[in-house]
Amino acid sequence: YERFSTTVDNAYVRPLMASYLYRLRDQLKEMRLSAPLFLMMSGGGLTTLETAARFPIRLVESGPAGGAILAAQIAAECSLPNVVSFDMGGTTAKICLLTDGEPERARKFEIARAYRDMKGSGIPVRIPVIEMVEIGAGGGSIARVDKLSRITVGPDSAGSTPGPICYGRGGVEPAVTDANLTLGKIDPAYFAGGKIALDEAAAKAALQKNIGDKLGLKDFWPAAGVTEIVEENMANAARVHAIERGHDIAQCTMIAFGGGAPLHACRLAEKVGVDSIIVPRGAGVGSAIGFLRAPVAYEITRSAVVSLEDFNAARVNELLASMTADARAVVEPALGRTKPVIQIIADCRYIGQGHEIRVSVPVKKLAKADGAKLKAEFERLYEQVYGLRIPNQEAEAITWSVTVSSQAVSPKRAAKATKKPAPKPRSKRTIYDPALGKQVSAPVYWRFDMKPGSAIKGPAIIAEDETSTIVGANFDASVNSLGYIVLERRR
């Protein structure tokens, strides 16, 4: 059913997407831009325009995939074994787990959900995607008081038109950005590098009318209530996502990017027990930077039920050889003389179960004895996720995937930065610090005044054009050798 649904969805969007992509190609040629044109796919790899025009359904979740690729690069640069990426933009927040520098991946996804956060309410598509949890908690997510006198946020969003009330474009319902502005996290005179003037008075008035008057809250407390609910929603989603995959999120380093994530990262880290946060350069456009770092890649998936006890190596070798040839035919024209990298994965399960574990398959001609090796690795991973093995239970591989990609670029490793004095703050601003439960005066530092090795203590604000990093009262901030902000929680 999922494959049929995917085929129908792809056929539905292909004429529109192909027309758009080919017009884009022609217009770039008219502008004398002759560089190769690649597009990001949902699985985290780049593909050619021609392939994207044939299979546009593979682009459906490509934006968040770019952020996960950025997080993977930072994890490699900073030698981080376990990472949780936190990407918060205008409409949603996305959380992705990475192990040994690689994001979790899946082959099922839902589009056009009737209820944004409810599994099963959308149209299933079977495509390679980077596994992440997505919740309606972005800067434009609308805040209100429900029938039970509770503050709720999202999943509906004000979008960019009309946008939050502070944009002055006709919005009438307060959004998360209005709350952050009211709490001092956003500079109304320097939003988007000073290109958009924000109406702080209108945001405060709307929060008081729609939240404060209904709950008996005054001053900054309506805004504080909104951000606390947003952060708790994100923390709860992150906890569940980690538990479902057998991870302890408290052992992860958080990588925060997107326009909204650095505003909320410290409070989210406190809630889930994370002690270390990294905010990369260009955090506000992190997904776009991830696009530039992504490999050229293509994945082919086919179903073939094969017992791991009575392993039919000849059948598997024939299947994988055909899939590898098809994937190479897509990728190699974009690589020139560069030798591609091949990765093979088998989705395995105990016979009778409905959920699979992804098991890496060696890239070689398989023998019958490799079936036992695959089962041993499957059971190791199964125990890691579920805490047990099922003795004397047969296992099988039901789906096989082959990914052909370009060679990965060796990351530049972060080195220990020489300590330097912190720069002078450019100004001060009153912000609400949830750890202290009150408003405090916080110095405002310009990010690019902070050289590698410089350090400050929270509460503080580190501002830049696209976003600001709010350093909580319980955190210390420093800049590493690569120019990334590193936030460490004090115990």
Side-chain angles (χ1 to χ4, degrees):
Y1 170 68
E2 288 86 357
R3 291 195 298 272
F4 174 77
S5 174
T6 304
T7 302
V8 172
D9 294 340
N10 190 69
Y12 180 76
V13 300
R14 184 161 65 180
L16 180 65
M17 282 293 293
S19 173
Y20 166 74
L21 291 173
Y22 288 131
R23 281 187 286 115
L24 175 63
R25 177 198 62 186
D26 294 342
Q27 289 171 8
L28 290 174
K29 285 183 177 179
E30 290 175 3
M31 298 169 65
R32 298 183 180 180
L33 295 174
S34 58
L37 177 59
F38 297 100
L39 290 100
M40 172 67 74
M41 295 185 295
S42 303
L46 299 175
T47 192
T48 61
L49 181 141
E50 290 74 21
T51 302
R54 288 178 59 204
F55 306 109
I57 196 66
R58 289 194 174 219
L59 276 62
V60 67
E61 193 72 353
S62 56
I69 294 299
L70 172 67
Q73 290 281 331
I74 296 171
E77 292 169 342
C78 300
S79 302
L80 303 174
N82 299 300
V83 163
V84 54
S85 74
F86 172 34
D87 177 6
M88 183 177 179
T91 56
T92 56
K94 281 79 65 176
I95 294 167
C96 177
L97 294 167
L98 296 88
T99 303
D100 296 328
E102 284 296 319
E104 301 271 344
R105 285 181 163 83
R107 296 192 187 92
K108 295 179 182 179
F109 186 69
E110 288 184 18
I111 58 176
R113 281 180 174 171
Y115 305 96
R116 181 180 293 177
D117 304 321
M118 186 177 293
K119 293 180 181 179
S121 67
I123 301 170
V125 291
R126 197 171 181 86
I127 58 172
V129 295
I130 289 179
E131 183 77 74
M132 59 184 72
V133 61
E134 183 173 305
I135 60 174
S141 297
I142 295 172
R144 59 175 60 88
V145 175
D146 67 11
K147 294 179 180 179
L148 298 178
S149 297
R150 302 173 303 183
I151 298 175
T152 61
V153 181
D156 51 332
S157 173
S160 59
T161 304
I165 288 174
C166 61
Y167 283 14
R169 295 178 178 174
V172 295
E173 296 180 288
V176 173
T177 296
D178 295 309
N180 282 327
L181 175 64
T182 300
L183 296 177
K185 295 182 178 182
I186 297 174
D187 185 347
Y190 204 74
F191 186 71
K195 296 177 181 178
I196 301 176
L198 299 182
D199 190 341
E200 186 175 4
K204 288 181 178 179
L207 285 162
Q208 185 61 47
K209 176 183 177 182
N210 290 271
I211 306 292
D213 291 349
K214 295 180 180 180
L215 299 179
L217 301 174
K218 300 291 185 181
D219 301 324
F220 61 89
W221 288 110
V226 170
T227 57
E228 187 69 15
I229 292 298
V230 168
E231 288 151 357
E232 185 56 41
N233 288 345
M234 293 187 292
N236 185 57
R239 293 187 199 101
V240 172
H241 187 62
I243 290 169
E244 288 178 344
R245 283 149 187 83
H247 292 272
D248 179 3
I249 196 170
Q251 301 302 313
C252 295
T253 297
M254 181 182 294
I255 299 177
F257 52 91
L263 301 174
H264 299 270
C266 284
R267 184 57 171 165
L268 178 59
E270 288 175 335
K271 286 179 175 289
V272 298
V274 166
D275 291 331
S276 182
I277 305 167
I278 293 177
V279 181
R281 292 174 297 177
V285 290
S287 290
I289 294 173
F291 290 173
L292 300 175
R293 299 186 177 188
V296 178
Y298 195 74
E299 179 179 343
I300 291 179
T301 302
R302 290 180 186 165
S303 296
V305 179
V306 178
S307 169
L308 299 184
E309 272 74 20
D310 185 18
F311 188 64
N312 189 337
R315 180 190 178 195
V316 173
N317 285 329
E318 182 180 358
L319 175 69
L320 295 179
S322 172
M323 295 168 63
T324 301
D326 290 346
R328 291 180 74 134
V330 173
V331 173
E332 287 184 337
L335 300 186
R337 298 182 180 179
T338 306
K339 186 178 180 181
V341 176
I342 300 172
Q343 182 187 39
I344 302 174
I345 298 291
D347 285 352
C348 302
R349 67 183 183 185
Y350 286 119
I351 290 176
Q353 292 188 330
H355 298 279
E356 300 85 39
I357 299 288
R358 291 167 55 87
V359 178
S360 180
V361 179
V363 182
K364 66 172 188 174
K365 188 173 181 178
L366 299 174
K368 187 175 182 64
D370 287 309
K373 296 177 182 178
L374 291 176
K375 183 177 181 182
E377 178 63 8
F378 159 71
E379 291 194 313
R380 184 188 72 81
L381 296 172
Y382 189 92
E383 185 176 24
Q384 178 180 312
V385 175
Y386 298 109
L388 56 87
R389 302 186 188 200
I390 303 178
N392 303 318
Q393 177 65 36
E394 294 185 5
E396 62 187 1
I398 63 169
T399 307
W400 305 81
S401 75
V402 174
T403 302
V404 176
S405 64
S406 58
Q407 296 276 356
V409 178
S410 297
K412 182 180 180 181
R413 301 287 180 176
K416 187 175 182 179
T418 304
K419 288 187 177 181
K420 294 181 180 178
K424 291 183 179 180
R426 293 200 172 186
S427 61
K428 286 191 174 184
R429 197 157 73 238
T430 299
I431 63 171
Y432 169 73
D433 190 290
L436 300 176
K438 63 181 181 180
Q439 289 182 312
V440 295
S441 177
V444 179
Y445 297 89
W446 182 241
R447 173 162 190 163
F448 304 103
D449 290 342
M450 296 185 67
K451 304 302 179 184
S454 59
I456 60 173
K457 291 184 177 294
I461 302 170
I462 304 175
E464 54 188 298
D465 282 345
E466 296 118 4
T467 187
S468 292
T469 299
I470 304 300
V471 185
N474 295 332
F475 285 80
D476 297 329
S478 61
V479 178
N480 71 6
S481 64
L482 300 178
Y484 301 156
I485 296 172
V486 180
L487 305 170
E488 297 286 351
R489 186 153 63 118
R490 294 194 298 272
R491 290 293 189 174

